[in-house]
Amino acid sequence: MADNQNGNEGDLHPLALLMDELKHDDIANRVEAMKKLDTIAIALGPERTREELIPFLTEVAQDDEDEVFAVLAEELGKFVPLVGGSQYINVLFPTLEILAATEETLVREKALASLNKVVKDMTIEQLLHDYVPLLDRLANADWFSSKVSACGLFKVVISRVKDDTLRKNLLALYSQLIQDDTPMVRRAAARNLPSIIDQLRENPGLSCEDDWEYVSEMFKKVITDNQDSVKFLAVESLIAILKFFNAKGDSSHTEALLAYALKLAKDEAWRVRYMVAEKFEDLADEISQLDKVVDHLLEPFLSLCEDNEGDVRKAIAGHVSGFSKHIKDASIIEAKIIPAIYTLSIDENETVRASLAQSITGMSSLLPKESVTENLLPIVLNMLKDEFPDVRLNIIASLKNINKVVDTKILSESLIPAINELAKDINWRVRMAIIDYLPVIGEQLGKSFFDEQLIDLCMTLLWDPVYAIRNATVKILTKLTEFFGSDWCRDEILTKLLTVDAETLENFIYRFTVLSALRELTSAVSSDITLEHILPYIVKLSDDKVPNIRFNVAKAYTVICENLKNNKTKNLKEIFEEKMLPSFKKLQGDSDVDVKYFANENLEKCQLLIN
């Protein structure tokens, strides 16, 4: 008996340890204890996890800090196998229900995510017996937080309920939340309504006329809500409804749905107009599938372009080409859209211009070549001179679209000055951004253009005072080599790198930069160029007075050996023993510990490669 009791005490140890850790004054320790729940559950086994650990956690969920609750809520989503499988999922509900009712948003979101996750493993009988009652309790609770959580739990059950009466009751319950007295609840219900509509669309066998009567009434409640923070969510619900009817091939509701879109676009609340502008391309895509009514959206589009709120103009500016693709008549684009684009391009709000810069070049595929040159190109070229760096960067990033129809020489007259200005910007992040675009420009405009206009800029950025810029430039030169070829690298990059004047190289940062560039470029050039140009220079650097450079020489030798082996260089072993091994031996005897370490490590790597 005593042995059994001792054994039981030993078995209880994981839970006792958890209980002890959760009494700790420090919240961080209690959070860490919660992160070990799966380990505790495994140690206890499924039965004791159900009978002892879960009830204990239910008590904990009523008295601790939000940081602890958030971890607990997330961990419970992983507990289905730990409690013995899907037949025992319901034992997790009491704890998750408490957490779903807390005031802290993060805790509720974690609890909802876990509930939605575990419910997927439940049978329809379990849903009806355990989940639907939980949903009903949350939706009819007195406190707003429970109702807010309930709004996020309907989508997983709507699609699985085959009984029309039960689904009707669930939709009626959701409609009750849509009309709740508390704006926070109505907002949560409006936010989750599109996902419910999507479930009905994706499971057409479930849909009946009663379903859509409820959905229609709920949508009308949202679109007429007296709170802007609720009403603007009607836009996504409208898109979801449009998708539903598109899937059915039903255009009988087109006129009514279009009227709703026009009403939202003219709403007096700027947040509602902003959401319409933000989702305008999606609206146009769905409306255009129902019928040829997209032309009715032209005036609302132009109105949003002239909206008195900068955020609205910013949102619509990003969709100029996305909307314009639905207008088949180029003359309408020229007469209506281009003037609106020009106005946006000189908008006083720099974020509006930056947003337009991301989408304007997409217009080039919608217009005849002559029209692009005459009407669109002047706007683009002017934006390349914009005082706000993001505008110029966004234009440069999307040049590929317009380059297909515009002569490179015309474009380069404004492109090069813009790039040069960005490369000199006082903000190093702007300089970094332009580096990232250099390969794109090289690919779009070709090698001859790049050599003539941009190669000197690349070399200038290679000596930038900011290490991140120098390092990024090295990597970009390697990408350009992969694109333009080894001979280009030899003629345009290596000749400049290997002839940097001695005075400049007095600064070890420049020597290190040259070494880094050579090591990176080795992976992209031919073995002949490696042996003839790169290896001799690196061997000379093995005598450098700076240890950091010497041990990076050892690392460079490994890259060189990889290059030679990949290119199936003849007499690789002889080349290594003649050109690199003497240097390695010298580095192995170096007075610096790090140099010796990396010399030994990379010598071993090289020997494995050549043997």
Side-chain angles (χ1 to χ4, degrees), residues 366-379:
L366 307 176
L367 294 166
K369 183 176 180 179
E370 298 75 16
S371 182
V372 172
T373 304
E374 182 180 346
N375 299 311
L376 187 64
L377 184 59
I379 301 175

Side-chain angles (χ1 to χ4, degrees), residues 402-470:
I402 203 166
N403 185 53
K404 295 175 182 177
V405 292
V406 174
D407 185 87
T408 301
K409 291 183 179 179
I410 298 175
L411 192 59
S412 66
E413 290 177 3
S414 293
L415 174 63
I416 297 307
I419 291 174
N420 285 325
E421 285 299 315
L422 290 167
K424 297 173 186 176
D425 196 277
I426 193 171
N427 187 334
W428 72 269
R429 289 181 176 83
V430 174
R431 303 200 301 277
M432 177 72 84
I434 200 62
I435 290 171
D436 291 338
Y437 291 134
L438 288 176
V440 177
I441 296 168
E443 182 179 356
Q444 291 174 3
L445 303 181
K447 184 170 67 172
S448 59
F449 177 86
F450 197 91
D451 291 348
E452 182 181 343
Q453 302 285 357
L454 294 173
I455 191 63
D456 289 339
L457 173 63
C458 283
M459 301 310 296
T460 300
L461 290 168
L462 194 60
W463 314 119
D464 194 276
V466 177
Y467 169 76
I469 301 290
R470 299 195 301 272

Side-chain angles (χ1 to χ4, degrees), residues 504-547:
T504 299
L505 292 177
E506 280 296 315
N507 187 328
F508 89 94
I509 291 177
Y510 289 94
R511 300 198 302 278
F512 183 79
T513 301
V514 172
L515 175 58
S516 299
L518 292 176
R519 187 175 68 186
E520 285 286 334
L521 290 169
T522 297
S523 63
V525 298
S526 67
S527 57
D528 290 342
I529 291 176
T530 299
L531 289 171
E532 184 178 348
H533 298 279
I534 294 177
L535 179 57
Y537 196 93
I538 289 179
V539 169
K540 286 195 298 182
L541 288 174
S542 65
D543 293 322
D544 197 276
K545 59 186 177 183
V546 178

Side-chain angles (χ1 to χ4, degrees), residues 227-283:
Q227 292 284 325
D228 299 346
S229 61
V230 177
K231 193 195 301 184
F232 85 91
L233 295 166
V235 177
E236 292 202 33
S237 292
L238 176 58
I239 293 171
I241 294 171
L242 287 165
K243 287 181 178 178
F244 174 83
F245 287 117
N246 282 338
K248 292 180 66 175
D250 182 355
S251 61
S252 61
H253 301 273
T254 299
E255 187 175 340
L257 294 173
L258 179 60
Y260 284 129
L262 298 178
K263 179 182 178 181
L264 290 166
K266 297 176 182 177
D267 197 275
E268 62 181 14
W270 75 267
R271 289 181 181 84
V272 178
R273 301 196 305 276
Y274 167 80
M275 185 56 72
V276 173
E278 185 69 21
K279 300 291 181 180
F280 205 90
E281 189 173 341
D282 293 335
L283 276 171

